[in-house]
Amino acid sequence: MKPDTNHLLTIDSKSLGARLLLAAFLALAVLFVWFSVSWQIGNMFAGFTKPTEANAEAVADMAVSMAPGDPLAVWLKAVIAQDASASDYVGFEDVIRLSPNDYRWWVQMGRAFEQADKAEKAELAFNRAIEIAPNYVLPRWQAGNYYLRQGNETAALKNLKRAAELDEVYREQVFSVVWDFFEEDEEKLESLAKEQKGVYSGLAKFYAGKGKPEKSLESWNKLSKSERTQNADVAKLVAQALFDKGFFATSVRFRDELGIEKGAGVGKMHNGGFEAQIPKPDGVLFSWKIVKVEGMRVQTNGFKKRSGNRSLEVSFGSFSKPDINNVYQTIAVKGGARYRLSFWVKTEKLAGAALPQIQVINTVDSKPLGSSKAYER
């Protein structure tokens, strides 16, 4: 067997050629580090500077000089130039050349072309952004708004519908734009949710905010059972929005379906016999709401009752306020209907200048609809 041999390259560092070679390597390393650091600094300044800042133009010039091939630095300079002249879009073309496969720059290019009244080029730019990122919401949102401004209703609704499908945050903005642009056209609005049932949860929320309870409930009912479960938080927001606007009958149906206040309904007092546990006041809409006040104690009592297992006991200590309004319940009723409220009261050792009574108050104007007699001592 032949012995192993090692081949080593040796350089005589004392020779002129070796010194020149080492110097060249060192110079290249320094240049590499300089350009890398310079690029990063230019990119950093461009990233942290808004085009509207007072010194933005100076920062942009510095960023481009330090990182001439950085799309972000060139973009900052292009935006500032466009603010000075709406027809200036050349800078955005430079950005595209540097980064042709970034959909964000194509969106910016489309907006720049539109402002320069070059509609055909703007459309091509927006569609290129969609080609690059078909499942991203920003190109669809920008394209949809562009087509609205151009009067192309079909293309606008197609892109806005896709934007609503892709992103819950943009969804409400999409609804608002279509609602306002088409002058509250419900058919146009609901076309955004067709064949995409998950979007109906957002539509239910939108209609609730617009004070349209029946449309809100109609949209919610188009969701499957599993979709309703997945969107329980949305249903809570819808119920709260409807409650705040005084649409109690629709709100209580949402609450009942969610099981939050099971048994609540139109024309029904919830937990009228105090048999169920009284919840904390936060988040309560159609159950007993008891707010603690100094000098007054409110609790259920299992010993003093007329029927069932419990009653509500209200004890007064040093209570001195003229009104008692911290024990109440909101009840949804049907307009024009007549209702009878029956209850049983027992008093012990009442003392004071004013005596308690039960009142039914109209939530619209806070005026009493009916009152019991003042209970004797």
Side-chain angles (χ1 to χ4, degrees):
M1 296 179 64
K2 294 182 179 179
D4 293 337
T5 58
N6 294 324
H7 300 280
L8 298 177
L9 175 64
T10 59
I11 298 176
D12 185 2
S13 61
K14 294 181 179 180
S15 67
L16 179 61
R19 291 180 181 181
L20 291 174
L21 182 62
L22 290 173
F25 275 122
L26 182 60
L28 286 173
V30 170
L31 285 173
F32 177 78
V33 171
W34 163 250
F35 282 114
S36 296
V37 173
S38 177
W39 185 294
Q40 291 176 13
I41 292 174
N43 177 272
M44 180 184 68
F45 277 116
F48 283 101
T49 304
K50 296 180 180 179
T52 54
E53 292 181 14
N55 62 339
E57 186 173 1
V59 172
D61 289 337
M62 181 184 65
V64 171
S65 66
M66 298 184 76
D70 179 36
L72 186 59
V74 178
W75 168 84
L76 179 62
K77 189 168 183 177
V79 172
I80 295 169
Q82 190 189 38
D83 287 342
S85 174
S87 62
D88 191 347
Y89 55 84
V90 176
F92 292 102
E93 293 180 325
D94 294 335
V95 177
I96 294 294
R97 280 193 288 271
L98 291 171
S99 183
N101 295 316
D102 191 323
Y103 73 93
R104 297 172 300 172
W105 307 134
W106 284 102
V107 168
Q108 291 286 339
M109 187 78 261
R111 296 176 63 182
F113 276 137
E114 184 183 5
Q115 290 188 37
D117 293 326
K118 295 185 177 296
E120 292 184 2
K121 288 188 175 183
E123 183 176 9
L124 289 173
F126 285 127
N127 285 327
R128 177 56 183 152
I130 292 172
E131 288 176 10
I132 294 172
N135 295 320
Y136 279 56
V137 67
L138 182 61
R140 297 287 185 174
W141 165 253
Q142 293 289 351
N145 279 274
Y146 163 76
Y147 282 121
L148 278 181
R149 292 188 290 270
Q150 295 297 315
N152 189 335
E153 178 183 314
T154 302
L157 291 176
K158 175 184 175 182
N159 283 284
L160 291 174
K161 178 180 179 180
R162 185 58 179 150
E165 294 167 3
L166 289 169
D167 192 281
E168 293 183 10
V169 175
Y170 272 85
R171 189 172 297 164
E172 191 162 347
Q173 297 181 56
V174 170
F175 291 155
S176 294
V177 166
V178 172
W179 183 255
D180 293 337
F181 187 86
F182 292 105
E183 299 179 345
E184 303 184 6
D185 188 323
E186 294 175 1
E187 185 178 351
K188 292 284 193 306
L189 181 65
E190 290 167 22
S191 70
L192 301 175
K194 285 182 179 179
E195 301 174 2
Q196 292 292 333
K197 287 191 174 182
V199 180
Y200 278 110
S201 62
L203 195 57
K205 181 182 175 183
F206 181 81
Y207 272 135
K210 293 297 180 181
K212 291 186 171 292
E214 294 305 320
K215 296 298 294 184
S216 177
L217 189 61
E218 179 185 312
S219 298
W220 179 257
N221 286 336
K222 290 180 180 179
L223 295 171
S224 67
K225 187 176 180 180
S226 61
E227 287 170 333
R228 294 182 194 181
T229 301
Q230 294 170 6
N231 289 280
D233 290 340
V234 175
K236 291 178 184 178
L237 293 174
V238 171
Q240 184 68 59
L242 292 170
F243 183 90
D244 293 341
K245 291 182 177 294
F247 299 109
F248 301 124
T250 313
S251 178
V252 76
R253 290 167 71 177
F254 273 94
R255 300 288 287 187
D256 181 45
E257 181 177 311
L258 289 169
I260 299 172
E261 292 172 310
K262 199 70 176 175
V266 178
K268 294 168 62 178
M269 176 168 278
H270 187 257
N271 190 22
F274 306 103
E275 297 295 305
Q277 184 177 1
I278 297 176
K280 294 181 179 180
D282 295 338
V284 168
L285 299 183
F286 299 101
S287 300
W288 286 109
K289 199 161 189 176
I290 299 174
V291 182
K292 292 182 179 180
V293 295
E294 187 177 354
M296 183 176 174
R297 185 178 66 178
V298 183
Q299 62 183 359
T300 56
N301 190 314
F303 299 100
K304 300 176 182 179
K305 70 260 187 184
R306 187 170 185 268
S307 62
N309 298 313
R310 295 181 182 179
S311 65
L312 187 72
E313 181 181 42
V314 181
S315 302
F316 301 94
S318 57
F319 185 82
S320 59
K321 293 185 178 181
D323 296 321
I324 305 170
N325 55 13
N326 63 309
V327 181
Y328 62 93
Q329 179 176 148
T330 301
I331 303 173
V333 296
K334 185 177 180 180
R338 296 175 65 88
Y339 295 92
R340 180 186 297 273
L341 177 63
S342 301
F343 50 89
W344 177 79
V345 176
K346 180 181 179 181
T347 62
E348 292 181 1
K349 301 178 182 179
L350 277 176
L355 298 174
Q357 62 178 172
I358 293 176
Q359 284 189 324
V360 179
I361 305 294
N362 187 344
T363 58
V364 176
D365 54 16
S366 299
K367 292 182 179 180
L369 299 175
S371 302
S372 70
K373 65 177 183 179
Y375 301 112
E376 300 176 355
R377 295 176 177 84

